[in-house]
Amino acid sequence: MLQAPIPSNDAARLQELRSYGVLDSPDEQVFDDIGALVRDIAHTPIGIISLVDENRQWFKSCIGLDAKETPRNISFCGHTILQRTPLIIEDALNDPRFCDNPLVLQEPHIRFYAGFPLIASNGLALGSLCAVDQQPRQLQPHQIQAMERLARLAVQQMELKRQTRLLAQAHEARQEQEPHSESLRLSSDLFTSKEQLLSMVELMLSQSNQACFGIIRLEFKDLRRIAGALGEATAGVLREAQRERLGQALPENASCCELTDQEWLVLAPFLATEAQLCELAAAITQQLHPPVGMGQQLLSSPVAVGAALVQGNYGNANDLLSDAAIALRNAARRPGSHYSCIDLASRIQAQQDLELESELRRGLRNGQLEPHFQPLFDLKTQQFKGVEALARWRRSHGELVMPSLFLAAAERADLLGQLDLQMIRQSITASHAMARVKPDQEMVLSLNLSSALLESAALLEELFALIDTQPLPQGWRLQLEMLEGSLQQADGDIAQTLNQLHERGVLLAIDDFGTGYSSLSRLNRFHFHSLKVDMSFVKLLDAPEQPSNRILEVIQAMAEALDLHTTAEGVETEGQRQWLERHGFQWGQGYLVAKPMPLQDTLNLLHTHQGAALPL
């Protein structure tokens, strides 16, 4: 007999199971009705709702069999909870896992078993919904689908039972504390220290009769940018105004602390349902989203809110705060202000994100980053003027991953700076091979530079050392492209960095120009050489209404006034090229000439391309 292994998350699974308060509870008609429906749908004599704890499977409902529990080590359901799909044994005597199981050879002489895992909203398996027969049989697809629905319904009933119990407990606790509401506050102010608030969370989690409550993490997405552009004093005034607003959105018994200067933590007692938690998270988001008037200015910092609900299902503060952080990250990924509450999909996504981040870390260590190159060309002559290096990731099994699928993972894992350095290093090496194809032609090697590198003194030193020790071929120049939003440091800091790059002969470009917000006032003060116009404007040149034409004309006029070179991204049609060339744009980049390609294909293209003499 094969005993089911104990899953690695069994401690968390058992804690979740106990939070429902169902184990060893009296019979209830609603669960017996589900057990009876199991028999009717599967046409079996036995229908069971089984919950698996440390040592047994206990039957919340057992229709057709006079039993309340069996040992876990011989249970079929111990196998079912290891998977997310039904476990169907058509004839146990023919299955090597169960053919010598005491439940098969002795009473109740199981021959047929169909177990459908009972999956909680956080992804943990509580037990299974089972159809059992003493004769071999099969289930049809429509029967399997109906049983899966019943399994979900059984979990919903358990969750409803838990919510009802927790609401009653919350109501009793609120009544007990009502005369002493002031004593619940850790200070006369809404805000307390981080240490005090975390200690309070740990204390509440350690109680044997664990209270229900909510934890909310909120992040002001633009406070850092505002501090860099307008000064820390201005950001502090905005932060104080948002404190007052937060106090208006929170219940009187809530407490709050600052985790960082732009992330706060809220403890909200007496929340017992996800609906209550989401309602509070929505209220916070709505209260903090509008701009704040400061003198003649309206300042706004979109807020991301992530929430997790304690229902007896957390053993320590770290797990609770991690779940709230997952929800916060989901909210922060969306533009503007949003809230998110932790759910199964979020946990699964977080696990996948961690796996991807770990693999990417190994990939960078093993040199799996692979630059692809896209030509920069003269819009008038169509001669090549350089290439932009774009990151691709060649995974261990050979799959080529596009940046849209791994750059977010690199940012979460704090790997963007290392990725930039590896790209620059490999691209400089590749430039020498390209220079041998075009030995007498001046060319530009252009690469993206992330804010993660710009803001790290250690990574900047590595970058400067790389530029100093690995020169480009004769006639080539390095161009580093920065997004407008990445220039969020104080002017003095960013000026020093840009000056050091300029002194090394590096060309500086603003990438995706027109989509950001911080660079207009800096273009005439810093040593920028080029504007790369975002492809979203170029794409609309072929639209019937041509709504982007005027914007492009203004950008080009401004660039000329500031003596800045212009490159249009996303040039895909001859009509776009002609319009851009007529209106003074100098270079282009896009599928009209070539898509990004590996080094060898780039070498072949450089060898054969003759500019306007060739059809494009």
Side-chain angles (χ1 to χ4, degrees):
M1 181 191 73
L2 177 65
Q3 293 188 23
I6 303 299
S8 59
N9 65 349
D10 206 49
R13 189 191 68 80
L14 291 169
Q15 188 168 18
E16 176 72 14
L17 175 60
R18 294 191 188 96
S19 75
Y20 289 85
V22 177
L23 282 173
D24 298 306
S25 62
D27 294 344
E28 295 178 74
Q29 188 62 51
V30 65
F31 292 105
D32 286 342
D33 286 345
I34 293 175
L37 283 172
V38 168
R39 295 200 310 173
D40 294 343
I41 292 170
H43 304 306
T44 59
I46 301 170
I48 301 174
I49 298 177
S50 170
L51 303 175
V52 181
D53 71 8
E54 293 97 328
N55 302 311
R56 59 178 178 155
Q57 60 172 359
W58 179 81
F59 304 142
K60 176 59 183 170
S61 176
C62 188
I63 307 299
L65 183 66
D66 186 17
K68 285 302 292 181
E69 61 184 58
T70 63
R72 177 176 178 173
N73 63 343
I74 63 171
S75 70
F76 283 61
C77 295
H79 294 265
T80 304
I81 64 172
L82 300 175
Q83 55 192 56
R84 293 293 179 270
T85 55
L87 174 63
I88 299 177
I89 310 298
E90 295 179 354
D91 188 348
L93 287 177
N94 292 331
D95 192 308
R97 294 171 295 178
F98 303 104
C99 60
D100 56 350
N101 189 295
L103 298 177
V104 175
L105 300 179
Q106 304 167 24
E107 289 290 341
H109 297 290
I110 296 174
R111 293 289 296 277
F112 170 79
Y113 169 89
F116 294 77
L118 302 175
I119 308 296
S121 59
N122 62 4
L124 297 172
L126 309 173
S128 65
L129 184 74
C130 318
V132 177
D133 200 345
Q134 289 90 2
Q135 303 296 326
R137 66 168 56 249
Q138 295 178 332
L139 290 182
Q140 299 302 312
H142 72 276
Q143 293 174 298
I144 294 174
Q145 290 176 1
M147 293 280 284
E148 288 174 333
R149 294 190 185 99
L150 270 185
R152 291 193 292 269
L153 181 60
V155 174
Q156 290 170 9
Q157 288 297 320
M158 291 173 60
E159 290 177 342
L160 180 61
K161 183 179 178 68
R162 178 173 67 178
Q163 287 186 0
T164 302
R165 175 173 55 84
L166 291 175
L167 278 171
Q169 292 177 354
H171 179 69
E172 292 174 4
R174 187 183 295 272
Q175 286 184 323
E176 292 176 2
Q177 296 287 355
E178 201 74 27
H180 311 289
S181 58
E182 291 302 317
S183 65
L184 288 177
R185 305 298 292 267
L186 294 174
S187 70
S188 59
D189 189 16
L190 170 68
F191 275 75
T192 184
S193 70
K194 179 171 68 173
E195 292 73 20
Q196 281 184 305
L197 189 57
L198 293 179
S199 295
M200 187 173 181
V201 172
E202 290 282 10
L203 179 62
M204 295 174 73
L205 291 174
S206 67
Q207 301 300 310
S208 56
N209 187 17
Q210 193 180 94
C212 48
F213 62 93
I215 280 291
I216 294 174
R217 297 179 74 147
L218 58 97
E219 177 187 5
F220 296 98
K221 297 162 71 173
D222 280 356
L223 264 181
R224 183 177 172 191
R225 174 181 66 86
I226 291 171
L230 302 177
E232 186 57 47
T234 300
V237 174
L238 176 60
R239 194 180 292 113
E240 194 61 37
Q242 294 290 42
R243 278 189 182 215
E244 295 181 9
R245 285 180 167 184
L246 181 61
Q248 297 170 14
L250 293 178
E252 290 184 359
N253 47 39
S255 298
C256 185
C257 73
E258 289 191 356
L259 293 178
T260 68
D261 59 355
Q262 61 185 17
E263 185 179 344
W264 298 350
L265 181 68
V266 175
L267 167 62
F270 309 128
L271 294 182
T273 69
E274 291 184 3
Q276 291 176 328
L277 179 69
C278 291
E279 183 180 355
L280 179 57
I284 292 173
T285 306
Q286 184 176 7
Q287 185 75 13
L288 299 181
H289 175 69
V292 175
M294 298 177 61
Q296 300 300 314
Q297 292 180 306
L298 277 177
L299 293 182
S300 162
S301 179
V303 62
V305 175
L309 182 66
V310 175
Q311 295 178 310
N313 51 345
Y314 288 98
N316 59 75
N318 286 337
D319 290 345
L320 175 59
L321 293 176
S322 293
D323 270 3
I326 292 171
L328 175 64
R329 188 165 64 191
N330 289 340
R333 287 173 176 170
R334 302 173 65 184
S337 295
H338 289 280
Y339 74 90
S340 174
C341 296
I342 190 67
D343 56 16
L344 174 58
S346 300
R347 284 191 180 90
I348 293 174
Q349 184 61 55
Q351 183 177 5
Q352 293 173 345
D353 289 346
L354 286 173
E355 292 172 354
L356 183 63
E357 292 164 19
S358 177
E359 185 181 355
L360 179 58
R361 195 181 302 277
R362 291 194 302 271
L364 284 174
R365 189 168 57 245
N366 297 331
Q368 292 177 351
L369 210 62
E370 183 178 311
H372 282 208
F373 301 93
Q374 187 173 35
L376 305 170
F377 60 92
D378 187 297
L379 285 165
K380 183 175 183 179
T381 67
Q382 301 179 52
Q383 290 286 338
F384 286 171
K385 294 297 183 178
V387 292
E388 180 180 358
L390 300 163
R392 303 292 186 266
W393 174 25
R394 182 75 65 179
R395 300 175 79 168
S396 301
H397 55 274
E399 176 193 4
L400 189 66
V401 185
M402 302 298 286
S404 59
L405 299 178
F406 68 81
L407 284 184
E411 183 175 12
R412 289 191 301 268
D414 198 23
L415 295 173
L416 279 180
Q418 292 296 333
L419 187 151
D420 289 346
L421 290 172
Q422 190 169 131
M423 275 292 295
I424 294 171
R425 188 177 295 108
Q426 294 187 9
S427 299
I428 290 177
T429 300
S431 69
H432 289 271
M434 288 184 271
R436 288 193 289 270
V437 177
K438 297 283 188 181
D440 300 322
Q441 185 171 337
E442 294 185 352
M443 296 278 277
V444 167
L445 174 64
S446 194
L447 296 107
N448 294 297
L449 201 62
S450 68
S451 58
L453 197 151
L454 287 169
E455 294 167 5
S456 168
L459 292 176
L460 280 173
E461 288 303 316
E462 286 191 53
L463 173 63
F464 297 146
L466 176 59
I467 295 171
D468 293 341
T469 58
Q470 297 191 29
L472 272 71
Q474 182 70 28
W476 282 65
R477 293 193 70 179
L478 178 64
Q479 175 174 273
L480 295 178
E481 304 177 14
M482 287 154 273
L483 292 172
E484 296 178 72
S486 69
L487 304 174
Q488 295 182 6
Q489 296 168 279
D491 280 1
D493 295 335
I494 195 65
Q496 182 179 5
T497 298
L498 298 182
N499 284 337
Q500 288 181 276
L501 290 170
H502 177 70
E503 290 168 0
R504 287 171 166 80
V506 176
L507 303 176
L508 304 174
I510 298 289
D511 195 16
D512 295 345
F513 186 80
T515 62
Y517 44 73
S518 67
S519 64
L520 286 176
S521 64
R522 299 175 171 184
L523 288 178
N524 62 342
R525 300 202 309 274
F526 299 154
H527 296 290
F528 288 111
H529 164 266
S530 177
L531 301 181
K532 297 195 70 180
V533 181
D534 187 69
M535 66 175 62
S536 61
F537 300 112
V538 176
K539 182 178 181 180
L540 292 176
L541 285 174
D542 289 334
E545 298 82 6
Q546 296 182 329
S548 71
N549 294 14
R550 183 58 183 158
I551 297 175
L552 288 172
E553 289 172 359
V554 170
I555 291 175
Q556 178 58 28
M558 181 191 66
E560 289 180 359
L562 296 174
D563 195 25
L564 292 171
H565 184 276
T566 50
T567 299
E569 300 179 308
V571 182
E572 297 184 351
T573 68
E574 178 62 17
Q576 291 169 352
R577 184 197 67 80
Q578 292 179 6
W579 190 97
L580 291 164
E581 190 256 320
R582 285 198 310 270
H583 288 81
F585 287 84
Q586 293 151 307
W587 289 4
Q589 178 181 352
Y591 279 27
L592 177 65
V593 169
K595 64 181 181 180
M597 61 189 71
L599 176 59
Q600 187 56 56
D601 292 344
T602 305
L603 296 176
N604 295 338
L605 182 64
L606 288 172
H607 182 74
T608 59
H609 185 74
Q610 299 298 323
L614 287 179
L616 297 177

